[in-house]
Amino acid sequence: MSARPLVLVVSPGDETYRGYCLEQVAAAYDVVLLTGTEPSWEKPYIVDHAVVDLHDAPALLAAGRALAARHELAGIVTWDEWNLVPTARLARTLGLPANSVEVMRACRNKATARTLFARHGVPSAASMTARTLLEAGLATMTIGYPAVIKPAAFAGSIGVIRIDRPEELPAAFAFALAGASQSHEDTGVLVEEYLDGPEVSVECVTHDGETTAVAVTRKSLGPAPYFTETGHTVDAVDPLLAQVAPVAAAAVKALGITDGVQHVEMRLVGGRPRLIEVNARIGGDMIGHLVRLATGIDLPKAAADIACGRAPDLTPTRRGAAGIRMLYPAASGTLTKRQINQPFAAYTPWLRQVQWIRQVGDPLLLPPEGDLFTARAGFYIVTGRDTAEVNERLDTAAREITVTTQADR
């Protein structure tokens, strides 16, 4: 029998984007898994598992109880946005420490979060709920233009669109409604004030009600009117961190979060931070991995530590920078070519990873027909001394990578 504490991971995600999370947790803990499919790549990192329909709440609770009957669980954690609420519910059922179901619901619902931000004086965006096109039109009369139309409870910038004029509203509302219809929690749509300024996220760790901002992530977005994220950079000594950390911590507190890792999104409007949303889990798009490359801080392990009632070690051990860029085609179509200059890749140590997620012959669909799940061909990651060097290296690597599509007839 292992002497290490046992942590239950709910929904490990896919190997490409979340494999590093499970690997880093398993380096310090024994892991049992609740997953929607039979484990494959996860097997080296786990001691037991149960396969269950993660959207079936009673089945998930029953499977969790069965694992708890076989093992003495020290904690429970998820980095899956869609399973934040079910995981909180399971934690309560098993008597394990976690944020409440109500708190997780507030994080998942952008309308509820906006209300709490306003109540606690956290700078955010004006926001109104719209169930119909008529209600959306009335909301824009109050909020004004430009405005953002978005699902109330979804993620990945799916269904999020900017409008600048009233005549754009019908198509934009239909686009947002299509995204919202995929939610299992709230199919409503929000009309929000457009926050004009650069977008960043603050990677936070909260333990016993005290929030520490460990890194700030600077984001790159694709062309308007969509909010497709095309890349991220993290710098261990980014001077912006000191400015945005207090607002991120205030947002976490406003939602009632007392423990865990948070990915807090905001925009700098006139140089001042305004909240977009708080995601009560490790950021996607390999952001947790970038944080480790830049600072040495291990966010997946911190999440497991907190879940098991331990104080996380947030001491930086590196002073560098890292960046990721997503590989999108110039136009929607069938992927006909994907390649990187092999000599360049072989002799460039700062090019840490090139990851393809689509094969030649696969369709790639950009918004509005597609979303980030259908548009990306892959991504690559680089490291450097600071943000300027990372951005330069991202551009250099881009010239050595080819993604070509052919329009479908």
Side-chain angles (χ1 to χ4, degrees):
M1 293 291 290
S2 172
R4 303 196 308 173
L6 200 65
V7 63
L8 172 58
V9 172
V10 178
S11 185
D14 71 302
E15 182 179 15
T16 300
Y17 284 109
R18 290 302 199 185
Y20 78 93
C21 293
L22 189 62
E23 180 182 359
Q24 289 170 214
V25 171
Y29 291 89
D30 285 348
V31 176
V32 295
L33 211 59
L34 264 180
T35 178
T37 57
E38 191 65 34
S40 54
W41 64 269
E42 302 98 332
K43 286 182 178 178
Y45 307 117
I46 63 176
V47 298
D48 198 1
H49 73 278
V51 178
V52 64
D53 181 353
L54 295 170
H55 300 303
D56 184 335
L60 189 149
L61 290 176
R65 288 193 196 98
L67 284 173
R70 297 201 295 269
H71 304 280
E72 185 178 346
L73 301 177
I76 182 172
V77 68
T78 188
W79 37 80
D80 181 357
E81 179 73 21
W82 321 116
N83 279 287
L84 290 172
V85 174
T87 299
R89 189 180 294 117
L90 179 57
R92 184 164 63 186
T93 299
L94 300 180
L96 295 172
N99 293 292
S100 71
V101 173
E102 293 72 25
V103 166
M104 289 297 97
R105 282 188 180 133
C107 295
R108 288 287 303 124
N109 191 289
K110 296 174 177 63
T112 303
R114 290 272 189 248
T115 300
L116 291 170
F117 294 156
R119 183 179 302 162
H120 291 271
V122 179
S124 182
S127 178
M128 298 178 70
T129 301
R131 297 283 173 181
T132 65
L133 178 59
L134 176 59
E135 289 182 0
L138 293 172
T140 60
M141 293 174 67
T142 300
I143 289 173
Y145 291 91
V148 176
I149 317 297
K150 66 188 347 179
F154 214 53
S157 299
I158 293 172
V160 184
I161 187 169
R162 169 183 162 170
I163 57 171
D164 296 309
R165 295 179 297 277
E167 54 267 31
E168 297 170 354
L169 180 59
F173 184 78
F175 178 74
L177 197 62
S181 67
Q182 301 177 53
S183 173
H184 294 280
E185 297 159 296
D186 187 332
T187 56
V189 168
L190 300 180
V191 178
E192 295 193 339
E193 170 190 8
Y194 174 67
L195 301 178
D196 191 4
E199 184 170 338
V200 303
S201 64
V202 188
E203 317 316 322
C204 296
V205 179
T206 303
H207 179 55
D208 284 345
E210 294 295 323
T211 297
T212 302
V214 301
V216 60
T217 303
R218 296 181 183 250
K219 299 180 177 295
S220 300
L221 300 178
Y226 309 106
F227 293 80
T228 306
E229 294 181 349
T230 58
H232 313 274
T233 59
V234 175
D235 191 324
V237 293
D238 194 322
L240 185 59
L241 182 59
Q243 179 186 351
V244 297
V247 177
V252 170
K253 185 176 181 179
L255 290 168
I257 298 171
T258 58
D259 292 281
V261 174
Q262 300 85 38
H263 172 70
V264 182
E265 297 180 351
M266 59 181 69
R267 282 198 169 204
L268 304 177
V269 181
R272 296 182 178 182
R274 302 270 298 278
L275 254 294
I276 298 174
E277 63 190 40
V278 174
N279 301 281
R281 40 82 182 166
I282 299 166
D285 283 356
M286 304 292 287
I287 287 173
H289 183 54
L290 299 184
V291 169
R292 192 182 193 195
L293 289 173
T295 72
I297 296 172
D298 188 335
L299 290 180
K301 181 178 180 295
D305 288 339
I306 293 166
C308 295
R310 297 177 166 187
D313 183 0
L314 304 179
T315 306
T317 58
R318 299 174 187 166
R319 289 170 61 88
I324 185 171
R325 186 168 293 177
M326 308 303 165
L327 293 168
Y328 292 97
S332 294
T334 299
L335 181 61
T336 56
K337 186 176 182 181
R338 45 154 244 195
Q339 71 175 38
I340 181 168
N341 180 337
Q342 287 301 326
F344 172 80
Y347 295 101
T348 307
W350 48 258
L351 181 63
R352 294 302 188 99
Q353 183 178 355
V354 178
Q355 180 70 53
W356 299 108
I357 58 178
R358 291 289 181 267
Q359 304 294 325
V360 169
D362 287 347
L364 294 178
L365 292 176
L366 297 166
E369 294 81 17
D371 53 43
L372 68 86
F373 297 114
T374 64
R376 292 176 177 175
F379 61 81
Y380 60 97
I381 293 174
V382 308
T383 53
R385 290 168 297 182
D386 53 30
T387 301
E389 185 170 67
V390 162
N391 283 328
E392 180 182 335
R393 287 176 171 178
L394 286 168
D395 289 341
T396 298
R399 293 190 285 270
E400 306 294 333
I401 299 174
T402 302
V403 175
T404 306
T405 56
Q406 180 176 344
D408 298 323
R409 295 181 180 178

